[in-house]
Amino acid sequence: MPSIRLIVGLGNPGEKYIGTRHNAGADFVSAIARQNGIELSSETKLAGRLGRGIVAGHNLHLMIPDTHMNHSGKAVGLAAKYFQIAPEHMLIAHDELDMPPGASRFKFDGGHGGHNGLRDIIPAIGGSKAFWRLRVGIGHPGQANRVSAWVLSKASKIEQGLIDLSVEEALRALPLLLDGEDVKAMTRLHSSDKTRQDL
């Protein structure tokens, strides 16, 4: 598989969105930056906060868009063009309604699955769906008309604890993915989900 050069964490900017379910992807990238001593600085021309550094032996760009979720494509498109990074060399981390808190999955290729951030990114990078995703489960409120309020609110203490655990497991599995061991990385996350469900 192509090597990953850019990791993007999706979310909404601003203090009122800190800690909300929709910011799970941004939280993942923030955790990578903290873990590896990479500073994320605002780059107005690229519409995001960016940093560059070594992660598990790989030289990577990290990005959290400064745009709102529904306009994530602007920042990702600008970064892809500026750094000349093809879609297959990107990992987009985002929240996932169709997975429970405590579950996370790496996936390559596929549609947007109804996620507005991915929906906006795909046309911004030339219509390609061939990029890596980290899907961080946040659960579903049960009714479609409650989704908007659900993703923009904070999880319960128990659910947030599970989300945090899944992000930690993704951080541990990330080096495998960066090394091209995608099957091992995906298997590790799947196994960790089962372990958590047994607790």
Side-chain angles (χ1 to χ4, degrees), residues 140-196:
H140 196 286
Q143 298 176 336
N145 62 0
R146 294 178 57 201
V147 166
S148 180
W150 178 262
V151 300
L152 296 178
S153 63
K154 295 184 178 182
S156 69
K157 185 175 181 179
I158 291 175
E159 288 185 343
Q160 187 59 52
L162 290 170
I163 293 169
D164 291 344
L165 280 174
S166 72
V167 168
E168 289 173 12
E169 289 295 343
L171 287 170
R172 294 188 185 101
L174 181 61
L176 290 170
L177 188 66
L178 296 177
D179 287 341
E181 300 281 358
D182 49 288
V183 175
K184 289 183 179 179
M186 290 186 280
T187 300
R188 172 159 187 163
L189 281 189
H190 185 75
S191 299
S192 68
D193 293 345
K194 284 185 176 179
T195 300
R196 225 172 282 126

Side-chain angles (χ1 to χ4, degrees), residues 72-152:
S72 300
K74 176 183 178 181
V76 177
L78 286 170
K81 184 176 181 180
Y82 184 79
F83 296 117
Q84 297 185 317
I85 298 175
E88 59 265 30
H89 297 288
M90 300 179 191
L91 169 63
I92 309 293
H94 64 90
D95 59 303
E96 178 57 67
L97 283 164
D98 294 331
M99 289 167 46
S104 56
R105 294 282 189 276
F106 288 123
K107 178 184 178 182
F108 185 76
D109 208 346
H112 55 69
H115 192 283
N116 287 333
L118 298 183
R119 192 196 304 271
D120 196 61
I121 287 169
I122 290 169
I125 56 175
S128 175
K129 302 173 185 176
F131 54 87
W132 279 100
R133 305 107 191 276
L134 171 65
R135 304 162 67 207
V136 180
I138 61 168
H140 196 286
Q143 298 176 336
N145 62 0
R146 294 178 57 201
V147 166
S148 180
W150 178 262
V151 300
L152 296 178

